[in-house]
Amino acid sequence: MAFSLDNLLVVGISSRALFDLEVEEAIFQHQGLAAYRQHQLVNENTILKPGAGFALVKALLHLNTLTPEHRLVEVVIMSRNSSETSLRIFNSIKHYGLDISRAALVGGASLSPYLQAFNLSLFLSLHEDDVQAAINSGVAAALLYGIPDNPQQELDQIRIAFDGDAVIFSDESERIYQEQGIEAFERHERDNANKPLPEGPFARLLVALSFLQNNFKSADGRAFPLRTALVTARSSPAHERVIRTLRAWNIAIDETFFMGGVHKSAVLGAFKPHMFFDDQHGHCERASSVVATGRVPIKQ
């Protein structure tokens, strides 16, 4: 019987996002494909260091060990490498004990045509064109920033933090703020407080995470292995629509922070997420020095 990826949280991640391949990327950019190929073959047994998405992938795969009777998470390597130059990637996966067996190796071509084929719930990459193509095709995707100054330490919980507008929710309200200002935005949100916000690119991922949390809920309703946070620039009176929207979706965010324009980095440093997703480059750049961060582009 063929293995089905249905009803699983499927994460596609590029090799550069999983491992630190910046030296190799520089060789490719400045010396060309032949030099890159030779470097990878010569260093085939040299283990790569973890990259920006490593901690999140390792934490998510750990969920499978908590439910040995059925898998919850699959991770697929989505790489522009050819099979010839990919053995170093697989040797590094084996070295770190990552339970990853599936890969799409496209030999320099675009990855975007293959994202839907693997039924991805989330795609992480350092190639902006692949991330943009994923968002355009309806797949939750983020462009990862560099490894934080103080990389994530091992935690007993998986922690994931999200911005609200243009990430969990659509960019409808964000556009009003950008085009008409804060007063028009707040008036719009007050007038529509009882109308759920439209879904954003990461809404379905949040629903999937909520489904996973239900696998681990104890009698008191807590889901210990997985914890989520909403860290949004919104504040009162724009908070009410957010709360009512999540209620309408039947989703409970574990921690919610209405920052009202205050920088998010300190709160993120306290929450310690394995990944933070935001749509604004300025927010992402500031947060990326503290926690692993992915920028969610606007659908084009």
Side-chain angles (χ1 to χ4, degrees):
M1 179 182 291
F3 185 86
S4 174
L5 294 173
D6 295 340
N7 302 317
L8 292 169
L9 178 69
V10 184
V11 178
I13 185 166
S14 71
S15 52
R16 278 183 66 205
L18 184 60
F19 296 116
D20 184 352
L21 284 160
E22 295 315 293
V23 170
E24 288 71 18
E25 178 68 10
I27 291 172
F28 174 76
Q29 293 294 337
H30 298 296
Q31 300 178 43
L33 179 58
Y36 171 82
R37 173 184 175 277
Q38 183 62 24
H39 175 83
Q40 289 295 72
L41 294 178
V42 168
N43 290 280
E44 204 162 82
N45 295 310
T46 302
I47 302 303
L48 293 161
K49 294 179 180 179
F54 183 93
L56 176 62
V57 164
K58 183 179 179 181
L60 286 172
L61 286 171
H62 178 65
L63 289 178
N64 290 331
T65 68
L66 304 179
T67 58
E69 68 281 1
H70 65 283
R71 295 179 70 81
L72 299 172
V73 178
E74 269 317 309
V75 174
V76 182
I77 297 296
M78 311 290 289
S79 175
R80 294 189 178 195
N81 278 281
S82 64
S83 56
E84 180 188 32
T85 59
S86 66
L87 277 181
R88 189 179 183 193
I89 306 300
F90 287 106
N91 288 339
S92 297
I93 288 171
K94 181 179 179 180
H95 171 80
Y96 291 109
L98 300 178
D99 182 15
I100 300 173
S101 60
R102 292 174 175 80
L105 309 170
V106 299
S110 172
L111 287 166
S112 58
Y114 305 100
L115 302 181
Q116 297 282 2
F118 282 92
N119 196 30
L120 294 189
S121 309
L122 174 65
F123 176 61
L124 303 172
S125 177
L126 275 72
H127 287 284
E128 187 158 10
D129 53 346
D130 284 331
V131 172
Q132 185 67 63
I135 286 288
N136 293 347
S137 66
V139 175
L143 180 73
L144 298 193
Y145 285 62
I147 299 172
D149 296 337
N150 297 303
Q152 176 70 285
Q153 297 178 347
E154 293 285 342
L155 292 175
D156 292 333
Q157 289 180 324
I158 301 167
R159 297 190 176 195
I160 304 177
F162 302 89
D163 179 33
D165 294 290
V167 179
I168 294 176
F169 315 119
S170 80
D171 65 341
E172 173 191 279
S173 298
E174 176 72 16
R175 288 200 306 270
I176 292 173
Y177 171 72
Q178 295 293 340
E179 295 169 5
Q180 302 178 41
I182 185 66
E183 291 184 4
F185 166 78
E186 290 183 347
R187 182 169 58 252
H188 179 267
E189 295 308 287
R190 279 196 304 268
D191 293 345
N192 292 277
N194 291 306
K195 180 181 179 182
L197 286 153
E199 291 184 358
F202 275 59
R204 283 183 288 175
L205 175 63
L206 185 61
V207 171
L209 292 174
S210 181
F211 176 80
L212 289 182
Q213 284 182 311
N214 288 332
N215 281 271
F216 301 105
K217 279 191 175 178
S218 58
D220 63 1
R222 297 182 63 195
F224 183 71
L226 177 59
R227 194 165 182 85
T228 56
L230 172 63
V231 186
T232 173
R234 285 177 178 246
S235 59
S236 177
H239 69 294
E240 183 178 353
R241 194 177 184 194
V242 169
I243 294 170
R244 292 188 180 280
T245 298
L246 294 173
R247 186 182 297 169
W249 292 357
N250 196 30
I251 289 176
I253 296 279
D254 296 297
E255 301 187 27
T256 305
F257 302 94
F258 295 104
M259 303 299 295
V262 175
H263 290 308
K264 302 176 181 180
S265 301
V267 163
L268 291 168
F271 181 66
K272 296 182 173 63
H274 289 86
M275 188 67 65
F276 169 58
F277 298 106
D278 198 298
D279 68 303
Q280 300 289 330
H281 170 67
H283 295 166
C284 290
E285 189 172 44
R286 182 181 290 268
S288 66
S289 65
V290 180
V291 298
T293 302
R295 178 169 60 82
V296 181
I298 299 298
K299 187 175 182 178
Q300 297 179 351

